[in-house]
């Protein structure tokens, strides 16, 4: 455990009808507590077994998939859990980590019981590692109590930090029109970080030398991550409309009433309807290009559909096919009959990035991309 912590919340043992109950209280109240108690910050500093954590996350994600994967889809048929798998999994891992830390605390392990949340505390918050372009969501300890069944009549789903984020309007639901002079392209490439651009350019340059025309779409919302226009003939650079990633709003279908469905995580019954309700916060908050809201993804899909219909490429080239935009682009490419090729960023040399991309098509045997 870490040294004594001040501020924040603590967990203290109480009793209800003779059974152990654990209440979240202001840490100032712990100074006079005679019963077992701990600062939540100390629980969060508890080391957990990584294999156990991974196995529990898999169990939770499987249960979530079976329970709610079909609750919402884009007009093009991309399911919310498929597209948002990475941020959802990170959030689920935060939940599981807290549950395992709770079990590792001896007083709770010897007398497990329900948690009583702190009134008025938001259930979903942001970790300190969050930035303007990447929101690192986490569940609060009151959120944990809520997921395990505690009543929360006065608790907002969002923490004060999330509620105070600037909210954009929802009146404009259509992206800006496409330029009229795009023309047909052989390859459509997508970048939204400087790492993507650095990885994709060697591939596009090699394609250009072979006479292939490419359109590189710069989807970055952080100016520091934008592509710089090169001078290679055959590579055209276009930026996404400035209003493409600004939409927040309700994620329809993810606000469920409580039901009996739960997944057991090391003795804790995690209620799935409530988990989906908390996950809706991630899908309703605009996090730029790295974690776009659900409404933004629906709008981005429409924009990508128009782009693919106009340029009719044979290949969509990606340097990230697991984050929401990458999953969405690969799904759109498939619907339009285009190949999608992923190039792992972080290659040591330009050639080590270009060769595999030029000689592969998804999971097919090696085939020249230019063929």
């Amino acid at each position: 455990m870490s040294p004594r912590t001040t501020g924040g919340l603590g967990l203290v043992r109480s009793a209800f009808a003779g059974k152990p109950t654990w209440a979240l209280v202001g840490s100032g109240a712990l100074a006079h507590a005679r019963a077992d108690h701990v600062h939540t910050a100390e629980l969060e500093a508890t080391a957990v077994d990584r294999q156990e954590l991974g196995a529990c996350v898999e169990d939770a994600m499987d249960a979530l998939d079976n329970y709610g994967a079909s609750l919402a889809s884009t007009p093009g048929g991309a399911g919310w859990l498929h597209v948002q798998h990475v941020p959802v999994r990170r959030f689920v891992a935060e939940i599981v980590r807290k549950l395992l830390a709770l079990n590792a605390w001896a007083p709770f392990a010897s007398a497990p019981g329900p948690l009583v949340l702190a009134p008025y505390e938001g259930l979903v918050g942001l970790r300190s590692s969050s930035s303007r372009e990447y929101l690192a969501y986490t569940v609060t300890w009151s959120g944990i109590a809520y997921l395990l069944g505690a009543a929360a009549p006065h608790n907002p789903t969002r923490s004060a930090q999330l509620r105070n984020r600037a909210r954009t309007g929802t009146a404009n639901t259509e992206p800006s029109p496409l330029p009229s002079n795009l023309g047909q392209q052989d390859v459509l490439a997508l970048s939204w970080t400087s790492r993507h651009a650095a990885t994709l350019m060697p591939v596009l340059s090699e394609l250009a030398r072979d006479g292939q025309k490419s359109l590189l779409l710069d989807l970055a919302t952080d100016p520091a991550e934008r592509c710089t226009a090169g001078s290679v003939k055959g590579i055209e650079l276009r930026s996404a409309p400035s209003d493409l990633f600004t939409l927040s709003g309700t994620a329809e279908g993810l606000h469920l009433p409580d039901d009996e469905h739960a997944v057991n995580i090391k003795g804790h019954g995690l209620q799935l309807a409530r988990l989906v309700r908390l996950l809706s916060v991630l899908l309703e908050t605009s996090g730029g290009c790295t974690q776009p809201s659900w409404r933004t993804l629906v709008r981005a899909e429409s924009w990508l559909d128009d782009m693919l219909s106009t340029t009719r490429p044979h290949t969509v080239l990606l340097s990230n096919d697991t984050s929401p935009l990458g999953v969405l682009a690969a799904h759109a490419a498939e619907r339009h009959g285009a190949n999608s090729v992923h190039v792992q960023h972080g290659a040591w040399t330009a050639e080590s990035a270009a060769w595999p991309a030029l000689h592969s098509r998804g999971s097919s045997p090696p085939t020249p991309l230019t063929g």
Side-chain angles (χ1 to χ4, degrees):
M1 292 292 184
S2 62
R4 181 178 177 83
T5 307
T6 58
L9 293 176
L11 196 64
V12 64
R13 180 174 176 173
S14 58
F16 179 76
K19 296 181 179 180
T21 301
W22 299 88
L24 287 165
V25 299
S27 60
L30 299 185
H32 309 289
R34 296 179 179 274
D36 291 323
H37 59 275
V38 65
H39 289 269
T40 55
E42 293 180 69
L43 288 176
E44 290 169 11
T46 303
V48 300
D49 183 87
R50 294 184 65 177
Q51 286 190 325
E52 185 179 33
L53 174 66
C56 290
V57 170
E58 287 296 336
D59 289 344
M61 291 299 295
D62 287 346
L64 183 61
D65 184 66
N66 292 330
Y67 175 77
S70 62
L71 290 171
S73 297
T74 66
W80 73 277
L81 191 55
H82 175 61
V83 176
Q84 296 276 14
H85 182 89
V86 168
V88 166
R89 190 183 184 89
R90 288 188 179 123
F91 187 80
V92 168
E94 288 290 309
I95 295 169
V96 172
R97 188 182 298 278
K98 283 183 166 67
L99 294 177
L100 294 182
L102 192 59
N103 284 355
W105 185 47
F108 183 88
S110 63
L115 271 62
V116 179
L117 47 69
Y120 304 104
E121 184 187 29
L123 306 178
V124 178
L126 291 175
R127 301 201 302 277
S128 58
S129 57
S130 293
S131 65
R132 188 175 70 85
E133 293 302 318
Y134 177 76
L135 303 182
Y137 296 95
T138 190
V139 62
T140 67
W141 282 96
S142 288
I144 292 291
Y146 172 76
L147 290 170
L148 299 180
H154 307 298
N155 292 69
T157 53
R158 293 166 173 80
S159 67
Q161 186 181 11
L162 268 173
R163 294 197 303 272
N164 289 337
R165 283 181 57 85
R167 308 218 26 137
T168 56
T170 60
N172 177 20
T173 58
E174 294 297 327
S176 300
L178 296 179
S180 59
N181 59 340
L182 287 175
Q184 185 173 357
Q185 303 286 335
D186 296 305
V187 174
L188 189 67
L190 276 68
S191 169
W192 53 95
T193 77
S194 56
R195 296 189 308 278
H196 300 164
T199 302
L200 295 173
M201 281 305 296
V203 181
L204 299 180
S205 297
E206 189 66 27
L207 287 169
R209 281 191 284 271
D210 195 53
Q212 299 278 305
K213 292 173 57 181
S214 300
L215 176 62
L216 176 58
L217 298 179
D218 184 359
L219 307 183
T221 47
D222 183 346
E225 300 293 341
R226 289 177 184 157
C227 303
T228 55
S231 57
V232 179
K233 185 178 180 180
I235 302 176
E236 186 174 357
L237 174 65
R238 294 294 178 106
S239 297
S242 60
D243 58 351
L244 190 60
F245 298 106
T246 59
L247 199 60
S248 298
T250 303
E252 302 294 343
L254 301 187
H255 292 256
L256 304 176
D258 288 350
D259 58 32
E260 74 282 4
H261 296 285
V263 56
N264 187 284
I265 303 295
K266 294 298 179 180
H268 300 279
L270 198 66
Q271 297 193 13
L272 292 171
R274 293 189 171 196
L275 176 57
V276 171
R277 211 173 305 158
L278 294 195
L279 287 169
S280 72
V281 174
L282 281 63
L283 274 69
E284 293 173 353
T285 307
S286 178
C289 61
T290 56
Q291 275 179 232
S293 69
W294 183 244
R295 287 195 174 190
T296 285
L297 284 170
V298 169
R299 186 164 68 176
E301 182 186 67
S302 174
W303 184 76
L304 281 172
D305 280 341
D306 288 345
M307 188 67 73
L308 286 162
S309 296
T310 301
T311 58
R312 291 171 290 149
H314 60 67
T315 297
V316 171
L317 190 63
L318 301 165
S319 185
N320 184 325
D321 61 352
T322 57
S323 69
L325 276 181
V327 174
L328 188 73
H331 190 271
E334 183 178 3
R335 286 190 294 105
H336 285 262
N339 300 309
S340 60
V341 174
H342 169 238
V343 192
Q344 177 59 48
H345 62 71
W348 288 104
T349 65
E351 292 77 12
S352 63
W355 195 94
L358 293 169
H359 294 80
S360 66
R361 279 185 178 168
S363 58
S364 305
T367 305
L369 183 63
T370 55

